[in-house]
Amino acid sequence: MTFYTYDYLKNSQSNWQYGRIIIISLLAVVFILFLIHYLRNRMDIKYKDLSIIVATLLLLVLAMQYNDFSAIQSSSKQTGQITSTVKQVAERLHVRPKTISVNSTNVNANLMVKTPDGFYRVDYNPAGTGFVLERVELDSQSNIKVEEAE
């Protein structure tokens, strides 16, 4: 069973989003530079071809970004929900959120929490607005792996 730390949950989604923004920005800057260089020297056709290639790459990356936008939004919302759940569990158990790990990156019915005191199952009410912590004992603790932030 894999558990994810609070820091891992907070940092895992944002890194890839920043990477995409950096790639799009770099492609836009390179496109503008090639276009400006072509407009200054209209006889040099290679900069026209390079600017067309970079513009095509830029449009491709923008299309992929637009396609993944709803998935990224949903993922960010779920990450926000699970991190707020971790904070609430930490408050109830009187521990810091950084000492808690959960077995899922999104809120679901079988959410398990690993704390320094032991393992807890999170039972949500039917509306999903509140939860109860139930202490559990796991049969095999040798199969537990904890994913931490880098």
Side-chain angles (χ1 to χ4, degrees):
M1 184 180 291
T2 303
F3 284 85
Y4 304 95
T5 63
Y6 179 72
D7 290 333
Y8 179 86
L9 293 171
K10 281 179 46 178
N11 297 333
S12 65
Q13 296 298 324
S14 62
N15 292 341
W16 177 240
Q17 292 173 4
Y18 291 132
R20 286 183 177 188
I21 291 170
I22 290 170
I23 289 171
I24 290 171
S25 300
L26 287 175
L27 283 173
V29 167
V30 169
F31 170 70
I32 291 170
L33 290 175
F34 281 145
L35 188 63
I36 289 172
H37 196 45
Y38 167 69
L39 292 175
R40 284 186 184 169
N41 304 318
R42 291 194 184 249
M43 298 309 255
D44 202 357
I45 305 276
K46 71 180 176 182
Y47 291 106
K48 176 184 174 185
D49 296 339
L50 286 173
S51 63
I52 291 172
I53 291 170
V54 172
T56 305
L57 284 173
L58 181 62
L59 287 175
L60 178 67
V61 171
L62 283 172
M64 288 179 4
Q65 177 69 22
Y66 179 75
N67 188 29
D68 292 341
F69 181 70
S70 63
I72 290 170
Q73 243 181 348
S74 173
S75 172
S76 295
K77 182 179 178 183
Q78 289 177 351
T79 300
Q81 289 174 341
I82 195 70
T83 54
S84 74
T85 301
V86 169
K87 286 180 185 178
Q88 290 174 0
V89 169
E91 285 177 15
R92 288 187 187 184
L93 297 175
H94 306 293
V95 295
R96 294 180 318 169
K98 293 183 185 251
T99 62
I100 294 178
S101 304
V102 292
N103 71 334
S104 179
T105 57
N106 56 14
V107 177
N108 59 30
N110 298 321
L111 189 63
M112 299 285 293
V113 178
K114 179 182 179 291
T115 68
D117 299 331
F119 294 91
Y120 292 87
R121 185 176 70 189
V122 180
D123 290 327
Y124 288 96
N125 65 2
T129 57
F131 62 87
V132 174
L133 292 174
E134 179 183 0
R135 188 176 178 94
V136 294
E137 295 292 328
L138 297 181
D139 291 338
S140 171
Q141 292 186 8
S142 62
N143 294 334
I144 295 174
K145 184 175 107 177
V146 177
E147 291 284 333
E148 297 187 30
E150 298 170 358

